[in-house]
Amino acid sequence: MSSSDPRHSVFPEWLRKSLDGLYLVSGWLAGLFLISIFLIMLALSAGRPLGIDVPAGDDFASWAMAATAFLGLAHTFRSGEMIRVGLLIEQVRGRPRQIAEILVLAIGTAAALYFAWYAFDMTRTSYRFNDLAQGVVAMPLWIPQLAFCGGLVILAIALVDELLHVLFGGLPRYEKPAPESAEEVIERAIQSGA
């Protein structure tokens, strides 16, 4: 992309590819944890009538659910699929719109950094004190907390990335361009499940 393209990156190409790869891997991991939820629930459901017990199945399913939710945040944000209430910001154009986007991104970045720091601190504390799960399987809590912490850290990175991009004059990459035809409107509605 040329530097005059408003969707260009402020980072070198190798860093841009690395960041995009990080967001993609995070999304894939979220998908794998979603599949693991399905498999655990299937084992729990099929095991009951057969008298087979899956130890701590509910615990593992809930940890996988948290991992799915948090690891999917950055990929969802970067794909423009995160729910965004734009009633006010969509009414503004030009430079005021860019300022509003920067303000919104700065607030979002500050919130993500705050939560990422405390998630990291919680995970580190669990590791230092060797906190164990209270369920059937006494797993060290820092292991399932890694996905929670990692997802928030990757989201914070994605928000810093986007804030810098918009600060340097780029258009928000999380915002999809307006559809150009009726077919494109229908295609987007089908893809979003609406």
Side-chain angles (χ1 to χ4, degrees):
M1 289 187 179
S2 71
S3 60
S4 62
D5 183 349
R7 293 197 184 269
H8 76 282
S9 177
V10 298
F11 298 117
E13 188 174 336
W14 66 268
L15 183 56
R16 173 80 275 132
K17 286 184 178 180
S18 297
L19 289 171
D20 289 342
L22 175 66
Y23 309 142
L24 183 62
V25 167
S26 182
W28 276 100
L29 285 172
L32 289 175
F33 277 106
L34 186 62
I35 292 169
S36 74
I37 294 168
F38 168 73
L39 294 174
I40 292 167
M41 297 309 290
L42 186 64
L44 287 169
S45 297
R48 281 190 188 107
L50 300 174
I52 300 170
D53 184 35
V54 179
D58 293 340
D59 291 340
F60 285 108
S62 63
W63 292 330
M65 211 172 300
T68 298
F70 285 96
L71 286 171
L73 287 173
H75 185 264
T76 304
F77 170 71
R78 291 288 300 184
S79 300
E81 299 296 333
M82 197 167 273
I83 296 172
R84 178 179 141 134
V85 179
L87 293 173
L88 296 176
I89 206 166
E90 289 174 359
Q91 306 304 316
V92 185
R93 301 279 178 255
R95 182 76 177 142
R97 170 74 180 252
Q98 184 184 21
I99 292 169
E101 291 283 359
I102 290 169
L103 180 64
V104 168
L105 280 167
I107 293 168
T109 301
L113 287 169
Y114 175 82
F115 288 117
W117 169 253
Y118 282 100
F120 172 78
D121 187 51
M122 179 184 69
T123 305
R124 183 182 61 183
T125 302
S126 292
Y127 177 79
R128 286 180 54 216
F129 291 108
N130 196 28
D131 284 344
L132 299 175
Q134 298 299 312
V136 176
V137 176
M139 176 183 283
L141 280 178
W142 65 268
I143 294 173
Q145 288 171 351
L146 278 177
F148 162 66
C149 175
L152 285 171
V153 168
I154 295 169
L155 176 64
I157 291 169
L159 282 159
V160 168
D161 174 11
E162 197 64 24
L163 176 61
L164 290 173
H165 176 73
V166 175
L167 269 172
F168 286 99
L171 293 176
R173 291 172 294 205
Y174 53 79
E175 193 171 86
K176 294 181 179 180
E180 296 179 10
S181 66
E183 291 82 17
E184 196 173 343
V185 170
I186 292 169
E187 181 65 30
R188 285 190 188 178
I190 291 170
Q191 288 177 353
S192 70

